[in-house]
Amino acid sequence: MPNLTTLDEQPTQGRFATAPALSVIVPCYNERPNVQPMVRKLNAALAGIAWEVIYVDDNSPDGTAEEVRRIAQHDGRVRCLRRIGRRGLASAVIEGALSSSADYIAVIDGDLQHDETRLPVMLAALRTGGYDIAVASRHVAGGDNAGLGGRWRHFLSNFGIWLARLFLPVRLTDPMSGFFMLPRGLFEELARRLNGQGFKILVDLVLSSRRKLRVLEVPARFRERAAGESKMDALVMIQFVGLLLDKLCGGMLPLRFFSFALVGGLGVVVHLAVLTALRTATPLGFEAEQAIATFVAMGFNFQLNNVITYRDHRLRGARLWQGLLLFILVCGFGAVANIGIAQMLYEQKTGWTAAGAIGAVIGVVWNYAVSATLVWRAR
Ligand code: GDD
Ligand code: MN
């Protein structure tokens, strides 16, 4: 087995004597230091198998894509899909998988936490065992979760597993796993129904299948992260809850609207809290107080939607301020309707709380319809 350093120098002609039978999809964000070690490990684990690795990088500022391309110059089995203006683990996996021509697709994290030696076992099980999907599980005999962060991470993971099991039609001990393999044909069959938001692509796949998938779980260690840090946070859990709700509603409820409405609901609370504070503490008069409360709630909505609802289209730097101005501008119309209708209701002797809330709700619905396209340019 030639070691990778000589492999690095050798020309790549002929290395692709046969098309890859297995595409290993690696969603990555800021994983530069882990790329070379990962390619070495794949090279060792997949000896005798025609494989390729497809890194799907969301324009990492640490130069992950450049590192992948540096290696790809000497090794045709290494590919990079660089995404600009889109973020998200699940959507990265989907785009990477849809760029493959191999018979089988594996998904694995790019931080060396997953045990790549499980890949040949999973491939053999799919080829000869009659399974639809092979999942590397930390929670079957022989598996372990030692590499997962502190107690909070274990709590999040166990809560996610418990929640997922309520909805899953098949028994999965580790539905949170991001390490699994399936035939490309099955992925293509399910791709159209995938939600593609958030982190948990395995749950998305299993819930998108119209038939009960035959799942094999192989024990796997979840190692310590080799370098860099986890991108998993509580917001991912909010997206996960939204994914389950979206599936429960048969995809009828766009996940984004659910998230925007949740943020809008919080915005109404902020709106009324500010209005109450102004009513009790200032002599400004209702119209001015409603206007101030509206704009404070609007800024709150914009920021929370940028971090949660449109996390995969998150605006940063100068675009954040342009987005805020655009959000205020285009949703200013919603505010005019909000304040006008609230004022009209108030003058017709509707209680000021109901008048304030109805005006705010009209503003939220208007803001969703307008901001989805003009501010975040998301579907
Ligand atoms: N392209 C892209 N875009 N990749 C991402 C993004 C993103 O927005 N966020 C994370 N990744 C990549 C990371 O670079 C890493 O390769 C992999 O996805 C997992 O991300 P981590 O941040 O390391 O996740 P974790 O260590 O907390 O692991 C948890 O989530 C994984 C993914 O579901 C655990 O639940 C693991 O079991 C699971 O594999
Ligand atoms: Mn990780």
Side-chain angles (χ1 to χ4, degrees), residues 27-29 31 56-58 87-89 92 109-111 113-114 138 148 153 176-179 199-200 222 225 229-232:
C28 55
Y29 191 71
E31 302 291 355
V56 188
D57 175 65
D58 287 355
R87 273 293 305 268
L89 190 159
D109 291 357
D111 54 7
Q113 285 195 279
H114 288 143
R138 299 161 282 193
L148 195 62
R153 282 304 315 276
M176 299 294 106
S177 176
F179 185 14
F199 253 52
K200 301 307 169 190
F222 192 66
R225 174 178 256 277
E229 69 263 344
S230 167
K231 287 83 189 174
M232 174 91 145

PDB file of all heavy atoms in Angstrom, residues 27-29 31 56-58 87-89 92 109-111 113-114 138 148 153 176-179 199-200 222 225 229-232, ligand 1:
ATOM      1  N   PRO A  27     -19.733  16.963   5.227  1.00  0.00           N
ATOM      2  CA  PRO A  27     -20.134  18.351   5.414  1.00  0.00           C
ATOM      3  C   PRO A  27     -19.073  19.032   6.285  1.00  0.00           C
ATOM      4  O   PRO A  27     -18.628  18.445   7.279  1.00  0.00           O
ATOM      5  CB  PRO A  27     -21.461  18.248   6.160  1.00  0.00           C
ATOM      6  CG  PRO A  27     -21.376  16.971   6.915  1.00  0.00           C
ATOM      7  CD  PRO A  27     -20.518  16.051   6.082  1.00  0.00           C
ATOM      8  N   CYS A  28     -18.610  20.198   5.899  1.00  0.00           N
ATOM      9  CA  CYS A  28     -17.561  20.787   6.744  1.00  0.00           C
ATOM     10  C   CYS A  28     -17.671  22.303   6.817  1.00  0.00           C
ATOM     11  O   CYS A  28     -18.083  22.971   5.881  1.00  0.00           O
ATOM     12  CB  CYS A  28     -16.185  20.379   6.237  1.00  0.00           C
ATOM     13  SG  CYS A  28     -15.908  20.780   4.526  1.00  0.00           S
ATOM     14  N   TYR A  29     -17.345  22.776   8.011  1.00  0.00           N
ATOM     15  CA  TYR A  29     -17.237  24.221   8.241  1.00  0.00           C
ATOM     16  C   TYR A  29     -16.054  24.427   9.181  1.00  0.00           C
ATOM     17  O   TYR A  29     -16.056  23.944  10.312  1.00  0.00           O
ATOM     18  CB  TYR A  29     -18.535  24.793   8.836  1.00  0.00           C
ATOM     19  CG  TYR A  29     -18.538  26.303   8.834  1.00  0.00           C
ATOM     20  CD1 TYR A  29     -18.659  27.025   7.638  1.00  0.00           C
ATOM     21  CD2 TYR A  29     -18.318  27.020  10.012  1.00  0.00           C
ATOM     22  CE1 TYR A  29     -18.610  28.412   7.617  1.00  0.00           C
ATOM     23  CE2 TYR A  29     -18.253  28.410   9.999  1.00  0.00           C
ATOM     24  CZ  TYR A  29     -18.410  29.102   8.800  1.00  0.00           C
ATOM     25  OH  TYR A  29     -18.356  30.473   8.783  1.00  0.00           O
ATOM     26  N   GLU A  31     -12.840  23.133   9.054  1.00  0.00           N
ATOM     27  CA  GLU A  31     -12.227  21.855   9.393  1.00  0.00           C
ATOM     28  C   GLU A  31     -10.848  21.712   8.763  1.00  0.00           C
ATOM     29  O   GLU A  31     -10.333  20.601   8.601  1.00  0.00           O
ATOM     30  CB  GLU A  31     -13.128  20.687   8.947  1.00  0.00           C
ATOM     31  CG  GLU A  31     -14.519  20.676   9.517  1.00  0.00           C
ATOM     32  CD  GLU A  31     -14.558  20.387  11.040  1.00  0.00           C
ATOM     33  OE1 GLU A  31     -13.491  20.100  11.612  1.00  0.00           O
ATOM     34  OE2 GLU A  31     -15.649  20.452  11.616  1.00  0.00           O
ATOM     35  N   VAL A  56     -18.090  19.088   1.330  1.00  0.00           N
ATOM     36  CA  VAL A  56     -19.040  20.174   1.026  1.00  0.00           C
ATOM     37  C   VAL A  56     -18.800  21.273   2.057  1.00  0.00           C
ATOM     38  O   VAL A  56     -19.176  21.167   3.215  1.00  0.00           O
ATOM     39  CB  VAL A  56     -20.505  19.695   1.071  1.00  0.00           C
ATOM     40  CG1 VAL A  56     -21.429  20.801   0.569  1.00  0.00           C
ATOM     41  CG2 VAL A  56     -20.686  18.428   0.233  1.00  0.00           C
ATOM     42  N   ASP A  57     -18.094  22.309   1.557  1.00  0.00           N
ATOM     43  CA  ASP A  57     -17.639  23.351   2.478  1.00  0.00           C
ATOM     44  C   ASP A  57     -18.453  24.634   2.291  1.00  0.00           C
ATOM     45  O   ASP A  57     -18.670  25.070   1.167  1.00  0.00           O
ATOM     46  CB  ASP A  57     -16.148  23.642   2.199  1.00  0.00           C
ATOM     47  CG  ASP A  57     -15.651  24.808   3.044  1.00  0.00           C
ATOM     48  OD1 ASP A  57     -15.621  24.672   4.275  1.00  0.00           O
ATOM     49  OD2 ASP A  57     -15.398  25.883   2.474  1.00  0.00           O
ATOM     50  N   ASP A  58     -18.922  25.185   3.366  1.00  0.00           N
ATOM     51  CA  ASP A  58     -19.730  26.416   3.291  1.00  0.00           C
ATOM     52  C   ASP A  58     -18.833  27.647   3.405  1.00  0.00           C
ATOM     53  O   ASP A  58     -18.998  28.463   4.306  1.00  0.00           O
ATOM     54  CB  ASP A  58     -20.809  26.412   4.382  1.00  0.00           C
ATOM     55  CG  ASP A  58     -21.914  25.436   4.050  1.00  0.00           C
ATOM     56  OD1 ASP A  58     -21.863  24.855   2.942  1.00  0.00           O
ATOM     57  OD2 ASP A  58     -22.806  25.214   4.898  1.00  0.00           O
ATOM     58  N   ARG A  87     -25.664  28.025   4.163  1.00  0.00           N
ATOM     59  CA  ARG A  87     -25.072  27.365   5.336  1.00  0.00           C
ATOM     60  C   ARG A  87     -25.974  26.218   5.735  1.00  0.00           C
ATOM     61  O   ARG A  87     -27.186  26.247   5.460  1.00  0.00           O
ATOM     62  CB  ARG A  87     -25.010  28.358   6.508  1.00  0.00           C
ATOM     63  CG  ARG A  87     -23.775  29.254   6.596  1.00  0.00           C
ATOM     64  CD  ARG A  87     -22.498  28.510   6.904  1.00  0.00           C
ATOM     65  NE  ARG A  87     -22.520  27.698   8.095  1.00  0.00           N
ATOM     66  CZ  ARG A  87     -22.141  28.122   9.303  1.00  0.00           C
ATOM     67  NH1 ARG A  87     -21.774  29.369   9.459  1.00  0.00           N
ATOM     68  NH2 ARG A  87     -22.142  27.304  10.335  1.00  0.00           N
ATOM     69  N   GLY A  88     -25.409  25.271   6.439  1.00  0.00           N
ATOM     70  CA  GLY A  88     -26.266  24.228   6.991  1.00  0.00           C
ATOM     71  C   GLY A  88     -25.726  22.849   6.705  1.00  0.00           C
ATOM     72  O   GLY A  88     -25.391  22.537   5.552  1.00  0.00           O
ATOM     73  N   LEU A  89     -25.669  22.031   7.746  1.00  0.00           N
ATOM     74  CA  LEU A  89     -25.109  20.685   7.612  1.00  0.00           C
ATOM     75  C   LEU A  89     -25.993  19.829   6.705  1.00  0.00           C
ATOM     76  O   LEU A  89     -25.507  19.218   5.739  1.00  0.00           O
ATOM     77  CB  LEU A  89     -25.018  20.054   9.014  1.00  0.00           C
ATOM     78  CG  LEU A  89     -24.252  18.751   9.157  1.00  0.00           C
ATOM     79  CD1 LEU A  89     -23.823  18.566  10.596  1.00  0.00           C
ATOM     80  CD2 LEU A  89     -25.054  17.548   8.734  1.00  0.00           C
ATOM     81  N   ALA A  92     -25.953  20.745   3.088  1.00  0.00           N
ATOM     82  CA  ALA A  92     -24.623  20.436   2.519  1.00  0.00           C
ATOM     83  C   ALA A  92     -24.555  18.954   2.141  1.00  0.00           C
ATOM     84  O   ALA A  92     -24.094  18.592   1.053  1.00  0.00           O
ATOM     85  CB  ALA A  92     -23.525  20.772   3.526  1.00  0.00           C
ATOM     86  N   ASP A 109     -18.785  12.941   9.584  1.00  0.00           N
ATOM     87  CA  ASP A 109     -18.332  14.268  10.002  1.00  0.00           C
ATOM     88  C   ASP A 109     -16.865  14.453   9.608  1.00  0.00           C
ATOM     89  O   ASP A 109     -16.113  13.485   9.511  1.00  0.00           O
ATOM     90  CB  ASP A 109     -18.481  14.421  11.520  1.00  0.00           C
ATOM     91  CG  ASP A 109     -19.956  14.485  11.935  1.00  0.00           C
ATOM     92  OD1 ASP A 109     -20.817  14.472  11.027  1.00  0.00           O
ATOM     93  OD2 ASP A 109     -20.227  14.519  13.137  1.00  0.00           O
ATOM     94  N   GLY A 110     -16.487  15.707   9.448  1.00  0.00           N
ATOM     95  CA  GLY A 110     -15.127  15.996   8.969  1.00  0.00           C
ATOM     96  C   GLY A 110     -14.135  16.282  10.076  1.00  0.00           C
ATOM     97  O   GLY A 110     -13.026  16.744   9.819  1.00  0.00           O
ATOM     98  N   ASP A 111     -14.545  15.995  11.326  1.00  0.00           N
ATOM     99  CA  ASP A 111     -13.660  16.346  12.450  1.00  0.00           C
ATOM    100  C   ASP A 111     -13.046  15.114  13.109  1.00  0.00           C
ATOM    101  O   ASP A 111     -12.581  15.178  14.248  1.00  0.00           O
ATOM    102  CB  ASP A 111     -14.463  17.149  13.473  1.00  0.00           C
ATOM    103  CG  ASP A 111     -15.728  16.412  13.906  1.00  0.00           C
ATOM    104  OD1 ASP A 111     -15.901  15.236  13.511  1.00  0.00           O
ATOM    105  OD2 ASP A 111     -16.547  16.989  14.631  1.00  0.00           O
ATOM    106  N   GLN A 113     -14.348  12.629  14.424  1.00  0.00           N
ATOM    107  CA  GLN A 113     -15.026  12.048  15.584  1.00  0.00           C
ATOM    108  C   GLN A 113     -15.668  10.708  15.227  1.00  0.00           C
ATOM    109  O   GLN A 113     -15.881   9.877  16.112  1.00  0.00           O
ATOM    110  CB  GLN A 113     -16.085  13.016  16.122  1.00  0.00           C
ATOM    111  CG  GLN A 113     -15.465  14.194  16.882  1.00  0.00           C
ATOM    112  CD  GLN A 113     -16.485  14.927  17.716  1.00  0.00           C
ATOM    113  OE1 GLN A 113     -17.229  15.746  17.183  1.00  0.00           O
ATOM    114  NE2 GLN A 113     -16.543  14.641  18.985  1.00  0.00           N
ATOM    115  N   HIS A 114     -15.981  10.529  13.943  1.00  0.00           N
ATOM    116  CA  HIS A 114     -16.579   9.246  13.544  1.00  0.00           C
ATOM    117  C   HIS A 114     -15.467   8.264  13.175  1.00  0.00           C
ATOM    118  O   HIS A 114     -14.458   8.642  12.599  1.00  0.00           O
ATOM    119  CB  HIS A 114     -17.533   9.459  12.359  1.00  0.00           C
ATOM    120  CG  HIS A 114     -18.800  10.147  12.744  1.00  0.00           C
ATOM    121  ND1 HIS A 114     -19.425  11.067  11.946  1.00  0.00           N
ATOM    122  CD2 HIS A 114     -19.557  10.069  13.866  1.00  0.00           C
ATOM    123  CE1 HIS A 114     -20.519  11.520  12.541  1.00  0.00           C
ATOM    124  NE2 HIS A 114     -20.625  10.933  13.711  1.00  0.00           N
ATOM    125  N   ARG A 138     -23.766   4.951  18.416  1.00  0.00           N
ATOM    126  CA  ARG A 138     -22.978   5.013  19.662  1.00  0.00           C
ATOM    127  C   ARG A 138     -23.686   4.254  20.779  1.00  0.00           C
ATOM    128  O   ARG A 138     -23.160   4.059  21.858  1.00  0.00           O
ATOM    129  CB  ARG A 138     -22.826   6.480  20.087  1.00  0.00           C
ATOM    130  CG  ARG A 138     -22.108   7.344  19.070  1.00  0.00           C
ATOM    131  CD  ARG A 138     -22.355   8.802  19.284  1.00  0.00           C
ATOM    132  NE  ARG A 138     -23.663   9.217  18.776  1.00  0.00           N
ATOM    133  CZ  ARG A 138     -24.003  10.504  18.627  1.00  0.00           C
ATOM    134  NH1 ARG A 138     -23.166  11.460  18.980  1.00  0.00           N
ATOM    135  NH2 ARG A 138     -25.177  10.845  18.142  1.00  0.00           N
ATOM    136  N   LEU A 148     -18.399  12.815  22.915  1.00  0.00           N
ATOM    137  CA  LEU A 148     -19.358  13.925  22.907  1.00  0.00           C
ATOM    138  C   LEU A 148     -19.025  14.855  24.075  1.00  0.00           C
ATOM    139  O   LEU A 148     -18.680  14.396  25.149  1.00  0.00           O
ATOM    140  CB  LEU A 148     -20.783  13.367  23.062  1.00  0.00           C
ATOM    141  CG  LEU A 148     -21.909  14.337  22.716  1.00  0.00           C
ATOM    142  CD1 LEU A 148     -21.850  14.769  21.255  1.00  0.00           C
ATOM    143  CD2 LEU A 148     -23.267  13.677  22.977  1.00  0.00           C
ATOM    144  N   ARG A 153     -24.155  18.664  26.291  1.00  0.00           N
ATOM    145  CA  ARG A 153     -24.213  18.013  25.002  1.00  0.00           C
ATOM    146  C   ARG A 153     -24.871  16.658  25.126  1.00  0.00           C
ATOM    147  O   ARG A 153     -25.675  16.260  24.283  1.00  0.00           O
ATOM    148  CB  ARG A 153     -22.793  17.853  24.406  1.00  0.00           C
ATOM    149  CG  ARG A 153     -22.259  19.114  23.797  1.00  0.00           C
ATOM    150  CD  ARG A 153     -23.187  19.658  22.727  1.00  0.00           C
ATOM    151  NE  ARG A 153     -23.671  18.627  21.816  1.00  0.00           N
ATOM    152  CZ  ARG A 153     -22.980  18.223  20.765  1.00  0.00           C
ATOM    153  NH1 ARG A 153     -21.808  18.764  20.510  1.00  0.00           N
ATOM    154  NH2 ARG A 153     -23.446  17.290  19.979  1.00  0.00           N
ATOM    155  N   MET A 176     -29.603  10.554  16.165  1.00  0.00           N
ATOM    156  CA  MET A 176     -28.817  11.796  16.037  1.00  0.00           C
ATOM    157  C   MET A 176     -27.530  11.564  15.265  1.00  0.00           C
ATOM    158  O   MET A 176     -26.789  12.510  14.996  1.00  0.00           O
ATOM    159  CB  MET A 176     -28.475  12.341  17.429  1.00  0.00           C
ATOM    160  CG  MET A 176     -29.674  12.681  18.268  1.00  0.00           C
ATOM    161  SD  MET A 176     -30.605  14.065  17.593  1.00  0.00           S
ATOM    162  CE  MET A 176     -32.014  13.222  16.946  1.00  0.00           C
ATOM    163  N   SER A 177     -27.228  10.305  14.929  1.00  0.00           N
ATOM    164  CA  SER A 177     -25.938  10.037  14.302  1.00  0.00           C
ATOM    165  C   SER A 177     -25.806  10.765  12.967  1.00  0.00           C
ATOM    166  O   SER A 177     -26.759  10.832  12.189  1.00  0.00           O
ATOM    167  CB  SER A 177     -25.777   8.531  14.058  1.00  0.00           C
ATOM    168  OG  SER A 177     -24.548   8.296  13.367  1.00  0.00           O
ATOM    169  N   GLY A 178     -24.633  11.268  12.744  1.00  0.00           N
ATOM    170  CA  GLY A 178     -24.380  11.900  11.435  1.00  0.00           C
ATOM    171  C   GLY A 178     -23.485  11.013  10.595  1.00  0.00           C
ATOM    172  O   GLY A 178     -22.845  11.466   9.661  1.00  0.00           O
ATOM    173  N   PHE A 179     -23.431   9.692  10.940  1.00  0.00           N
ATOM    174  CA  PHE A 179     -22.523   8.772  10.260  1.00  0.00           C
ATOM    175  C   PHE A 179     -23.357   7.578   9.762  1.00  0.00           C
ATOM    176  O   PHE A 179     -23.790   6.742  10.558  1.00  0.00           O
ATOM    177  CB  PHE A 179     -21.434   8.319  11.222  1.00  0.00           C
ATOM    178  CG  PHE A 179     -20.358   7.459  10.614  1.00  0.00           C
ATOM    179  CD1 PHE A 179     -20.192   7.333   9.236  1.00  0.00           C
ATOM    180  CD2 PHE A 179     -19.489   6.737  11.438  1.00  0.00           C
ATOM    181  CE1 PHE A 179     -19.201   6.528   8.684  1.00  0.00           C
ATOM    182  CE2 PHE A 179     -18.470   5.929  10.900  1.00  0.00           C
ATOM    183  CZ  PHE A 179     -18.338   5.833   9.520  1.00  0.00           C
ATOM    184  N   PHE A 199     -29.396  20.084  11.346  1.00  0.00           N
ATOM    185  CA  PHE A 199     -28.260  19.159  11.480  1.00  0.00           C
ATOM    186  C   PHE A 199     -28.642  17.711  11.181  1.00  0.00           C
ATOM    187  O   PHE A 199     -27.821  16.932  10.754  1.00  0.00           O
ATOM    188  CB  PHE A 199     -27.790  19.207  12.957  1.00  0.00           C
ATOM    189  CG  PHE A 199     -26.507  19.907  13.172  1.00  0.00           C
ATOM    190  CD1 PHE A 199     -26.287  21.169  12.683  1.00  0.00           C
ATOM    191  CD2 PHE A 199     -25.496  19.296  13.903  1.00  0.00           C
ATOM    192  CE1 PHE A 199     -25.083  21.814  12.919  1.00  0.00           C
ATOM    193  CE2 PHE A 199     -24.289  19.923  14.142  1.00  0.00           C
ATOM    194  CZ  PHE A 199     -24.089  21.186  13.645  1.00  0.00           C
ATOM    195  N   LYS A 200     -29.900  17.321  11.482  1.00  0.00           N
ATOM    196  CA  LYS A 200     -30.198  15.892  11.600  1.00  0.00           C
ATOM    197  C   LYS A 200     -30.729  15.297  10.301  1.00  0.00           C
ATOM    198  O   LYS A 200     -31.908  14.984  10.178  1.00  0.00           O
ATOM    199  CB  LYS A 200     -31.134  15.656  12.784  1.00  0.00           C
ATOM    200  CG  LYS A 200     -30.533  16.134  14.096  1.00  0.00           C
ATOM    201  CD  LYS A 200     -29.156  15.549  14.317  1.00  0.00           C
ATOM    202  CE  LYS A 200     -28.421  16.197  15.480  1.00  0.00           C
ATOM    203  NZ  LYS A 200     -27.007  15.764  15.521  1.00  0.00           N
ATOM    204  N   PHE A 222     -17.558   7.302  19.173  1.00  0.00           N
ATOM    205  CA  PHE A 222     -17.596   8.726  18.812  1.00  0.00           C
ATOM    206  C   PHE A 222     -16.406   9.354  19.521  1.00  0.00           C
ATOM    207  O   PHE A 222     -16.420   9.527  20.740  1.00  0.00           O
ATOM    208  CB  PHE A 222     -18.928   9.349  19.264  1.00  0.00           C
ATOM    209  CG  PHE A 222     -19.179  10.721  18.703  1.00  0.00           C
ATOM    210  CD1 PHE A 222     -19.372  10.904  17.346  1.00  0.00           C
ATOM    211  CD2 PHE A 222     -19.217  11.835  19.529  1.00  0.00           C
ATOM    212  CE1 PHE A 222     -19.610  12.165  16.801  1.00  0.00           C
ATOM    213  CE2 PHE A 222     -19.462  13.106  19.004  1.00  0.00           C
ATOM    214  CZ  PHE A 222     -19.645  13.271  17.649  1.00  0.00           C
ATOM    215  N   ARG A 225     -13.213  15.333  19.437  1.00  0.00           N
ATOM    216  CA  ARG A 225     -12.988  16.127  18.222  1.00  0.00           C
ATOM    217  C   ARG A 225     -11.478  16.363  18.109  1.00  0.00           C
ATOM    218  O   ARG A 225     -10.823  16.718  19.101  1.00  0.00           O
ATOM    219  CB  ARG A 225     -13.738  17.452  18.304  1.00  0.00           C
ATOM    220  CG  ARG A 225     -13.487  18.406  17.187  1.00  0.00           C
ATOM    221  CD  ARG A 225     -14.298  19.680  17.296  1.00  0.00           C
ATOM    222  NE  ARG A 225     -15.407  19.693  16.389  1.00  0.00           N
ATOM    223  CZ  ARG A 225     -15.323  20.048  15.105  1.00  0.00           C
ATOM    224  NH1 ARG A 225     -14.163  20.358  14.588  1.00  0.00           N
ATOM    225  NH2 ARG A 225     -16.395  20.052  14.344  1.00  0.00           N
ATOM    226  N   GLU A 229     -13.928  23.407  16.663  1.00  0.00           N
ATOM    227  CA  GLU A 229     -14.948  23.195  17.689  1.00  0.00           C
ATOM    228  C   GLU A 229     -16.291  22.839  17.067  1.00  0.00           C
ATOM    229  O   GLU A 229     -16.536  23.101  15.886  1.00  0.00           O
ATOM    230  CB  GLU A 229     -15.098  24.418  18.625  1.00  0.00           C
ATOM    231  CG  GLU A 229     -15.694  25.660  18.018  1.00  0.00           C
ATOM    232  CD  GLU A 229     -14.645  26.657  17.560  1.00  0.00           C
ATOM    233  OE1 GLU A 229     -13.489  26.519  17.976  1.00  0.00           O
ATOM    234  OE2 GLU A 229     -14.985  27.513  16.749  1.00  0.00           O
ATOM    235  N   SER A 230     -17.153  22.250  17.893  1.00  0.00           N
ATOM    236  CA  SER A 230     -18.479  21.815  17.442  1.00  0.00           C
ATOM    237  C   SER A 230     -19.332  23.022  17.072  1.00  0.00           C
ATOM    238  O   SER A 230     -19.251  24.078  17.687  1.00  0.00           O
ATOM    239  CB  SER A 230     -19.180  21.036  18.562  1.00  0.00           C
ATOM    240  OG  SER A 230     -20.551  20.878  18.228  1.00  0.00           O
ATOM    241  N   LYS A 231     -20.147  22.835  16.029  1.00  0.00           N
ATOM    242  CA  LYS A 231     -21.057  23.905  15.588  1.00  0.00           C
ATOM    243  C   LYS A 231     -22.475  23.658  16.124  1.00  0.00           C
ATOM    244  O   LYS A 231     -23.394  24.379  15.831  1.00  0.00           O
ATOM    245  CB  LYS A 231     -21.126  23.997  14.050  1.00  0.00           C
ATOM    246  CG  LYS A 231     -19.868  24.595  13.418  1.00  0.00           C
ATOM    247  CD  LYS A 231     -18.833  23.516  13.275  1.00  0.00           C
ATOM    248  CE  LYS A 231     -17.470  24.063  12.868  1.00  0.00           C
ATOM    249  NZ  LYS A 231     -16.446  22.979  12.884  1.00  0.00           N
ATOM    250  N   MET A 232     -22.583  22.570  16.886  1.00  0.00           N
ATOM    251  CA  MET A 232     -23.917  22.208  17.403  1.00  0.00           C
ATOM    252  C   MET A 232     -24.252  23.150  18.549  1.00  0.00           C
ATOM    253  O   MET A 232     -23.402  23.424  19.400  1.00  0.00           O
ATOM    254  CB  MET A 232     -23.857  20.769  17.900  1.00  0.00           C
ATOM    255  CG  MET A 232     -25.108  20.302  18.580  1.00  0.00           C
ATOM    256  SD  MET A 232     -26.190  19.556  17.376  1.00  0.00           S
ATOM    257  CE  MET A 232     -26.903  18.278  18.418  1.00  0.00           C
TER     258      MET A 232
HETATM  259  N1  GDD B   1     -21.156  22.460   5.273  1.00  0.00           N
HETATM  260  C1  GDD B   1     -21.438  22.599   6.580  1.00  0.00           C
HETATM  261  N2  GDD B   1     -22.255  23.625   6.984  1.00  0.00           N
HETATM  262  N3  GDD B   1     -20.917  21.708   7.478  1.00  0.00           N
HETATM  263  C2  GDD B   1     -21.225  21.873   8.798  1.00  0.00           C
HETATM  264  C3  GDD B   1     -22.058  22.920   9.271  1.00  0.00           C
HETATM  265  C4  GDD B   1     -22.592  23.828   8.288  1.00  0.00           C
HETATM  266  O1  GDD B   1     -23.344  24.761   8.605  1.00  0.00           O
HETATM  267  N4  GDD B   1     -22.164  22.810  10.626  1.00  0.00           N
HETATM  268  C5  GDD B   1     -21.412  21.733  10.981  1.00  0.00           C
HETATM  269  N5  GDD B   1     -20.847  21.192   9.880  1.00  0.00           N
HETATM  270  C6  GDD B   1     -19.985  20.014   9.820  1.00  0.00           C
HETATM  271  C7  GDD B   1     -18.803  20.119  10.758  1.00  0.00           C
HETATM  272  O2  GDD B   1     -17.713  20.774  10.103  1.00  0.00           O
HETATM  273  C8  GDD B   1     -18.510  18.647  11.012  1.00  0.00           C
HETATM  274  O3  GDD B   1     -17.778  18.096   9.934  1.00  0.00           O
HETATM  275  C9  GDD B   1     -19.917  18.009  10.997  1.00  0.00           C
HETATM  276  O4  GDD B   1     -20.741  18.905  10.247  1.00  0.00           O
HETATM  277  C10 GDD B   1     -20.507  17.829  12.395  1.00  0.00           C
HETATM  278  O5  GDD B   1     -20.521  19.098  12.985  1.00  0.00           O
HETATM  279  P1  GDD B   1     -20.092  19.246  14.528  1.00  0.00           P
HETATM  280  O6  GDD B   1     -20.199  20.664  14.877  1.00  0.00           O
HETATM  281  O7  GDD B   1     -18.773  18.565  14.721  1.00  0.00           O
HETATM  282  O8  GDD B   1     -21.249  18.404  15.228  1.00  0.00           O
HETATM  283  P2  GDD B   1     -21.068  17.660  16.647  1.00  0.00           P
HETATM  284  O9  GDD B   1     -19.682  17.251  16.912  1.00  0.00           O
HETATM  285  O10 GDD B   1     -21.724  18.502  17.657  1.00  0.00           O
HETATM  286  O11 GDD B   1     -21.800  16.282  16.337  1.00  0.00           O
HETATM  287  C11 GDD B   1     -23.198  16.128  16.433  1.00  0.00           C
HETATM  288  O12 GDD B   1     -23.788  16.365  15.193  1.00  0.00           O
HETATM  289  C12 GDD B   1     -23.204  15.563  14.165  1.00  0.00           C
HETATM  290  C13 GDD B   1     -23.918  15.881  12.884  1.00  0.00           C
HETATM  291  O13 GDD B   1     -25.241  15.487  13.035  1.00  0.00           O
HETATM  292  C14 GDD B   1     -23.467  14.701  16.842  1.00  0.00           C
HETATM  293  O14 GDD B   1     -24.866  14.515  16.926  1.00  0.00           O
HETATM  294  C15 GDD B   1     -22.927  13.741  15.817  1.00  0.00           C
HETATM  295  O15 GDD B   1     -23.446  12.423  16.032  1.00  0.00           O
HETATM  296  C16 GDD B   1     -23.364  14.107  14.436  1.00  0.00           C
HETATM  297  O16 GDD B   1     -22.565  13.387  13.525  1.00  0.00           O
END
